[in-house]
Amino acid sequence: MVRDLVRKMKRLEALIFDVDGTLAETERDGHLVAFNRAFADAGLDWQWEDSLYGELLSVTGGKERILYYLDRYRPDFPRPRALSDFVANLHAAKTKHFLQLVSEGGIPLRPGVKRLLGEAKRSGLRLAIATTASPANVTALLENALPGGLSLFEVIAAGDVVPAKKPAPDIYNYVLRELKLSPERCLAFEDSALGLRSALAARLKTLVTVNGYTAGQDFAGAALVVDGLGEPEAPFRVLAGEAGDAAYVDAALLHKLLAGA
Ligand code: XBP
Ligand code: MG
Protein backbone atom coordinates (compact mmCIF):
# COMPACT_ATOMS: atom_id res chain seq x y z
CA MET A 1 0.00 0.00 0.00
CA VAL A 2 2.85 2.36 0.88
CA ARG A 3 4.52 1.40 -2.40
CA ASP A 4 1.31 2.22 -4.27
CA LEU A 5 1.22 5.60 -2.57
CA VAL A 6 4.82 6.36 -3.50
CA ARG A 7 4.22 5.29 -7.08
CA LYS A 8 1.15 7.50 -7.25
CA MET A 9 3.03 10.48 -5.85
CA LYS A 10 5.68 10.15 -8.51
CA ARG A 11 3.43 9.73 -11.52
CA LEU A 12 4.56 12.04 -14.32
CA GLU A 13 1.70 14.27 -15.48
CA ALA A 14 3.21 17.33 -17.13
CA LEU A 15 6.28 18.62 -18.95
CA ILE A 16 7.26 22.27 -18.55
CA PHE A 17 9.53 23.72 -21.22
CA ASP A 18 11.82 26.71 -21.28
CA VAL A 19 11.85 28.30 -24.75
CA ASP A 20 15.03 30.20 -25.55
CA GLY A 21 17.88 27.80 -26.17
CA THR A 22 15.70 24.81 -25.25
CA LEU A 23 12.97 24.61 -27.89
CA ALA A 24 15.05 26.49 -30.47
CA GLU A 25 18.37 28.30 -30.86
CA THR A 26 16.57 31.61 -30.45
CA GLU A 27 19.36 33.33 -28.54
CA ARG A 28 21.98 32.92 -31.28
CA ASP A 29 19.73 33.09 -34.35
CA GLY A 30 17.03 35.42 -33.06
CA HIS A 31 17.54 37.59 -30.00
CA LEU A 32 21.19 38.49 -30.65
CA VAL A 33 20.50 39.46 -34.28
CA ALA A 34 17.40 41.42 -33.23
CA PHE A 35 19.21 43.34 -30.48
CA ASN A 36 21.90 44.46 -32.94
CA ARG A 37 19.32 45.51 -35.54
CA ALA A 38 17.45 47.54 -32.91
CA PHE A 39 20.69 49.26 -31.84
CA ALA A 40 21.46 50.15 -35.47
CA ASP A 41 17.92 51.50 -35.98
CA ALA A 42 18.39 53.76 -32.97
CA GLY A 43 21.68 55.06 -34.35
CA LEU A 44 23.68 53.49 -31.53
CA ASP A 45 27.20 52.24 -32.19
CA TRP A 46 26.55 49.15 -30.03
CA GLN A 47 27.35 45.84 -31.70
CA TRP A 48 27.08 42.74 -29.55
CA GLU A 49 29.45 39.97 -30.67
CA ASP A 50 28.60 36.35 -30.05
CA SER A 51 31.13 35.99 -27.20
CA LEU A 52 29.87 39.15 -25.46
CA TYR A 53 26.30 37.90 -25.83
CA GLY A 54 27.28 34.66 -24.09
CA GLU A 55 28.33 36.78 -21.13
CA LEU A 56 25.24 38.99 -21.29
CA LEU A 57 23.08 35.88 -20.98
CA SER A 58 24.05 35.92 -17.31
CA VAL A 59 21.08 38.27 -17.05
CA THR A 60 17.69 36.98 -18.17
CA GLY A 61 15.14 39.19 -19.89
CA GLY A 62 15.79 41.54 -22.79
CA LYS A 63 15.18 44.83 -20.96
CA GLU A 64 17.22 43.69 -17.99
CA ARG A 65 20.02 42.61 -20.36
CA ILE A 66 20.23 46.05 -21.99
CA LEU A 67 20.44 47.71 -18.57
CA TYR A 68 23.13 45.27 -17.49
CA TYR A 69 25.13 46.02 -20.65
CA LEU A 70 24.96 49.76 -19.94
CA ASP A 71 26.05 49.31 -16.32
CA ARG A 72 28.81 46.82 -16.98
CA TYR A 73 30.19 47.83 -20.39
CA ARG A 74 29.12 51.39 -21.16
CA PRO A 75 29.69 53.55 -18.08
CA ASP A 76 30.71 56.24 -20.61
CA PHE A 77 27.30 56.25 -22.35
CA PRO A 78 25.33 59.38 -21.38
CA ARG A 79 22.24 58.12 -19.57
CA PRO A 80 18.97 59.36 -21.12
CA ARG A 81 16.87 61.21 -18.56
CA ALA A 82 14.03 58.71 -19.01
CA LEU A 83 16.20 55.60 -18.93
CA SER A 84 13.37 53.09 -18.57
CA ASP A 85 11.54 54.58 -21.59
CA PHE A 86 14.76 54.49 -23.59
CA VAL A 87 15.25 50.82 -22.72
CA ALA A 88 11.58 49.99 -23.32
CA ASN A 89 11.72 51.58 -26.80
CA LEU A 90 14.90 49.72 -27.69
CA HIS A 91 13.37 46.51 -26.45
CA ALA A 92 10.16 47.07 -28.44
CA ALA A 93 12.25 47.57 -31.60
CA LYS A 94 14.20 44.42 -30.76
CA THR A 95 10.97 42.45 -30.36
CA LYS A 96 9.79 43.71 -33.77
CA HIS A 97 13.02 42.44 -35.37
CA PHE A 98 12.77 39.13 -33.52
CA LEU A 99 9.22 38.61 -34.79
CA GLN A 100 10.39 39.44 -38.31
CA LEU A 101 13.21 36.87 -38.11
CA VAL A 102 10.83 34.23 -36.84
CA SER A 103 8.20 34.96 -39.49
CA GLU A 104 10.87 34.51 -42.16
CA GLY A 105 11.13 30.92 -40.91
CA GLY A 106 14.76 31.29 -39.87
CA ILE A 107 14.50 29.63 -36.46
CA PRO A 108 13.56 25.94 -36.50
CA LEU A 109 12.93 23.84 -33.41
CA ARG A 110 15.93 21.95 -32.03
CA PRO A 111 16.21 18.29 -33.08
CA GLY A 112 13.86 16.00 -31.20
CA VAL A 113 11.54 18.74 -29.93
CA LYS A 114 8.71 18.16 -32.40
CA ARG A 115 8.91 14.39 -31.95
CA LEU A 116 8.89 14.59 -28.15
CA LEU A 117 6.01 17.11 -27.98
CA GLY A 118 3.87 14.92 -30.22
CA GLU A 119 4.73 11.75 -28.37
CA ALA A 120 4.15 13.35 -24.97
CA LYS A 121 0.78 14.71 -26.00
CA ARG A 122 -0.31 11.35 -27.46
CA SER A 123 0.68 9.60 -24.24
CA GLY A 124 -1.54 11.94 -22.20
CA LEU A 125 1.10 14.22 -20.71
CA ARG A 126 0.15 17.85 -20.19
CA LEU A 127 2.45 20.50 -21.67
CA ALA A 128 3.36 23.97 -20.46
CA ILE A 129 5.88 26.73 -21.05
CA ALA A 130 7.87 28.74 -18.51
CA THR A 131 10.00 31.40 -20.15
CA THR A 132 11.56 34.75 -19.45
CA ALA A 133 10.98 35.95 -23.00
CA SER A 134 8.07 38.15 -24.05
CA PRO A 135 4.77 36.36 -24.85
CA ALA A 136 4.70 37.61 -28.46
CA ASN A 137 8.06 35.94 -29.09
CA VAL A 138 6.82 32.58 -27.86
CA THR A 139 3.61 32.74 -29.86
CA ALA A 140 5.43 33.69 -33.05
CA LEU A 141 8.10 31.04 -32.62
CA LEU A 142 5.60 28.26 -32.11
CA GLU A 143 3.27 29.38 -34.89
CA ASN A 144 6.12 29.49 -37.37
CA ALA A 145 8.30 26.59 -36.30
CA LEU A 146 5.49 24.16 -35.47
CA PRO A 147 2.16 24.91 -37.12
CA GLY A 148 -0.56 24.01 -34.61
CA GLY A 149 2.07 23.83 -31.90
CA LEU A 150 0.64 26.61 -29.82
CA SER A 151 -2.46 24.60 -29.00
CA LEU A 152 -0.34 21.77 -27.59
CA PHE A 153 0.43 23.89 -24.53
CA GLU A 154 -2.11 24.23 -21.76
CA VAL A 155 -0.23 27.02 -19.99
CA ILE A 156 2.14 29.54 -21.56
CA ALA A 157 3.80 31.64 -18.87
CA ALA A 158 6.09 34.28 -20.35
CA GLY A 159 7.90 37.55 -19.73
CA ASP A 160 6.62 39.96 -17.12
CA VAL A 161 3.74 37.75 -15.92
CA VAL A 162 5.81 37.40 -12.74
CA PRO A 163 7.98 40.25 -11.45
CA ALA A 164 11.08 38.17 -10.64
CA LYS A 165 12.59 36.45 -13.67
CA LYS A 166 14.76 33.33 -13.70
CA PRO A 167 16.79 32.27 -11.72
CA ALA A 168 13.91 33.07 -9.34
CA PRO A 169 11.45 30.15 -9.20
CA ASP A 170 8.43 32.42 -9.72
CA ILE A 171 7.69 31.56 -13.35
CA TYR A 172 7.74 27.80 -12.61
CA ASN A 173 5.64 28.26 -9.49
CA TYR A 174 3.17 30.25 -11.59
CA VAL A 175 2.92 27.38 -14.10
CA LEU A 176 2.47 24.82 -11.32
CA ARG A 177 -0.36 26.88 -9.86
CA GLU A 178 -2.03 27.17 -13.27
CA LEU A 179 -1.67 23.43 -13.87
CA LYS A 180 -2.83 22.74 -10.31
CA LEU A 181 -0.03 20.21 -9.97
CA SER A 182 2.68 19.67 -7.40
CA PRO A 183 6.29 19.66 -8.67
CA GLU A 184 6.62 15.91 -7.95
CA ARG A 185 4.36 15.25 -10.94
CA CYS A 186 6.25 17.40 -13.46
CA LEU A 187 9.55 17.58 -15.29
CA ALA A 188 11.21 20.80 -16.46
CA PHE A 189 13.35 21.24 -19.57
CA GLU A 190 16.09 23.85 -19.56
CA ASP A 191 19.24 24.79 -21.46
CA SER A 192 21.04 27.06 -18.99
CA ALA A 193 22.34 27.11 -15.42
CA LEU A 194 20.09 30.08 -14.61
CA GLY A 195 17.05 28.23 -15.93
CA LEU A 196 18.05 25.11 -14.00
CA ARG A 197 18.36 27.13 -10.79
CA SER A 198 14.87 28.51 -11.36
CA ALA A 199 13.37 25.06 -11.92
CA LEU A 200 15.22 23.46 -9.00
CA ALA A 201 14.12 26.29 -6.71
CA ALA A 202 10.55 25.36 -7.67
CA ARG A 203 11.45 21.74 -6.66
CA LEU A 204 11.21 20.42 -10.22
CA LYS A 205 13.30 17.59 -11.55
CA THR A 206 15.00 19.01 -14.60
CA LEU A 207 16.44 17.70 -17.83
CA VAL A 208 19.06 19.98 -19.41
CA THR A 209 19.78 20.13 -23.14
CA VAL A 210 22.91 22.26 -23.50
CA ASN A 211 23.78 24.54 -26.41
CA GLY A 212 26.78 26.55 -27.57
CA TYR A 213 26.31 29.26 -24.95
CA THR A 214 25.68 26.97 -22.01
CA ALA A 215 27.76 23.81 -22.58
CA GLY A 216 30.39 24.74 -19.97
CA GLN A 217 27.98 25.76 -17.22
CA ASP A 218 27.41 24.07 -13.87
CA PHE A 219 24.40 21.79 -14.02
CA ALA A 220 24.69 20.23 -10.58
CA GLY A 221 21.28 19.03 -9.47
CA ALA A 222 19.95 18.24 -12.95
CA ALA A 223 18.29 14.84 -13.39
CA LEU A 224 20.02 14.44 -16.75
CA VAL A 225 22.26 16.61 -18.94
CA VAL A 226 22.41 15.83 -22.67
CA ASP A 227 23.60 17.62 -25.78
CA GLY A 228 20.06 17.57 -27.18
CA LEU A 229 16.88 15.52 -27.07
CA GLY A 230 18.21 13.30 -29.83
CA GLU A 231 16.40 11.38 -32.52
CA PRO A 232 16.29 7.64 -33.31
CA GLU A 233 18.75 8.21 -36.16
CA ALA A 234 20.82 10.83 -34.28
CA PRO A 235 21.31 9.74 -30.66
CA PHE A 236 22.02 12.20 -27.86
CA ARG A 237 25.25 12.37 -25.88
CA VAL A 238 24.84 12.05 -22.13
CA LEU A 239 26.95 14.67 -20.32
CA ALA A 240 25.78 13.93 -16.78
CA GLY A 241 23.28 11.58 -15.19
CA GLU A 242 21.96 8.18 -16.16
CA ALA A 243 19.89 7.50 -19.27
CA GLY A 244 20.05 3.69 -19.16
CA ASP A 245 20.02 2.27 -22.65
CA ALA A 246 18.01 5.18 -24.11
CA ALA A 247 19.49 6.80 -27.23
CA TYR A 248 17.11 9.75 -27.27
CA VAL A 249 14.65 11.41 -24.93
CA ASP A 250 11.22 9.81 -25.08
CA ALA A 251 8.29 9.50 -22.71
CA ALA A 252 9.60 6.22 -21.26
CA LEU A 253 12.89 7.87 -20.27
CA LEU A 254 11.04 10.84 -18.74
CA HIS A 255 8.90 8.56 -16.58
CA LYS A 256 12.08 6.82 -15.36
CA LEU A 257 13.79 10.13 -14.62
CA LEU A 258 10.88 11.33 -12.53
CA ALA A 259 10.77 8.08 -10.60
CA GLY A 260 14.50 8.48 -9.98
CA ALA A 261 15.26 5.14 -11.61
C1 XBP B 1 15.58 33.76 -22.00
C2 XBP B 1 15.93 35.13 -21.99
C3 XBP B 1 15.31 36.02 -22.92
C4 XBP B 1 15.61 36.40 -24.26
C5 XBP B 1 14.96 37.73 -24.56
O1 XBP B 1 15.84 33.13 -20.76
O2 XBP B 1 16.66 35.57 -21.14
O3 XBP B 1 15.88 37.10 -22.42
O4 XBP B 1 17.00 36.57 -24.38
O5 XBP B 1 13.62 37.77 -24.43
P1 XBP B 1 15.17 31.73 -20.49
P2 XBP B 1 12.92 39.22 -24.27
O6 XBP B 1 15.49 30.89 -21.69
O7 XBP B 1 15.87 31.21 -19.27
O8 XBP B 1 13.71 31.96 -20.27
O9 XBP B 1 13.75 40.21 -25.00
O10 XBP B 1 11.57 39.04 -24.88
O11 XBP B 1 12.88 39.52 -22.80
MG1 MG C 1 16.75 29.17 -21.94
Side-chain angles (χ1 to χ4, degrees):
M1 189 171 162
V2 173
R3 261 169 76 177
D4 283 351
L5 192 67
V6 169
R7 201 172 294 140
K8 207 173 164 196
M9 274 171 62
K10 291 200 164 181
R11 197 176 69 227
L12 179 61
E13 292 195 29
L15 309 180
I16 310 174
F17 289 85
D18 169 49
V19 174
D20 293 305
T22 300
L23 294 185
E25 296 286 8
T26 40
E27 295 293 7
R28 185 193 63 200
D29 300 337
H31 294 299
L32 174 57
V33 179
F35 275 117
N36 283 326
R37 289 185 181 173
F39 300 153
D41 286 353
L44 297 165
D45 67 345
W46 307 355
Q47 171 73 31
W48 290 355
E49 303 298 335
D50 195 60
S51 57
L52 171 64
Y53 194 63
E55 205 277 304
L56 295 175
L57 286 172
S58 61
V59 173
T60 58
K63 295 187 285 289
E64 293 81 354
R65 191 165 299 140
I66 294 169
L67 279 168
Y68 172 69
Y69 171 70
L70 273 172
D71 280 350
R72 173 90 168 71
Y73 292 93
R74 301 305 294 254
D76 56 307
F77 183 76
R79 299 296 190 266
R81 196 179 292 251
L83 182 60
S84 62
D85 288 349
F86 169 77
V87 170
N89 287 336
L90 267 182
H91 186 251
K94 176 257 168 185
T95 298
K96 195 188 74 191
H97 282 295
F98 182 88
L99 297 179
Q100 176 70 32
L101 285 161
V102 166
S103 72
E104 288 162 2
I107 311 184
L109 298 179
R110 290 185 67 180
V113 170
K114 181 179 173 189
R115 172 189 54 75
L116 182 63
L117 291 176
E119 187 187 326
K121 199 73 186 172
R122 283 192 297 279
S123 73
L125 291 172
R126 299 166 69 193
L127 302 177
I129 277 177
T131 177
T132 294
S134 311
N137 296 353
V138 182
T139 308
L141 177 75
L142 287 171
E143 278 174 348
N144 282 279
L146 183 62
L150 208 52
S151 62
L152 295 175
F153 294 93
E154 202 176 311
V155 177
I156 296 184
D160 299 322
V161 66
V162 291
K165 293 186 173 167
K166 298 175 188 177
D170 302 33
I171 195 81
Y172 278 106
N173 285 331
Y174 176 93
V175 170
L176 291 169
R177 277 197 304 276
E178 291 289 308
L179 289 172
K180 297 188 173 51
L181 285 176
S182 66
E184 292 79 26
R185 291 172 184 263
C186 306
L187 270 178
F189 292 74
E190 277 286 352
D191 69 303
S192 70
L194 289 177
L196 173 65
R197 268 172 60 193
S198 171
L200 290 180
R203 296 186 294 118
L204 285 155
K205 280 203 173 176
T206 306
L207 188 156
V208 174
T209 53
V210 302
N211 59 49
Y213 290 122
T214 66
Q217 296 180 350
D218 178 4
F219 294 117
L224 184 68
V225 184
V226 287
D227 65 350
L229 294 176
E231 291 282 32
E233 67 282 3
F236 59 34
R237 207 155 56 85
V238 176
L239 306 173
E242 188 46 66
D245 55 7
Y248 55 92
V249 176
D250 61 5
L253 175 58
L254 298 180
H255 283 279
K256 278 188 207 151
L257 285 178
L258 192 84

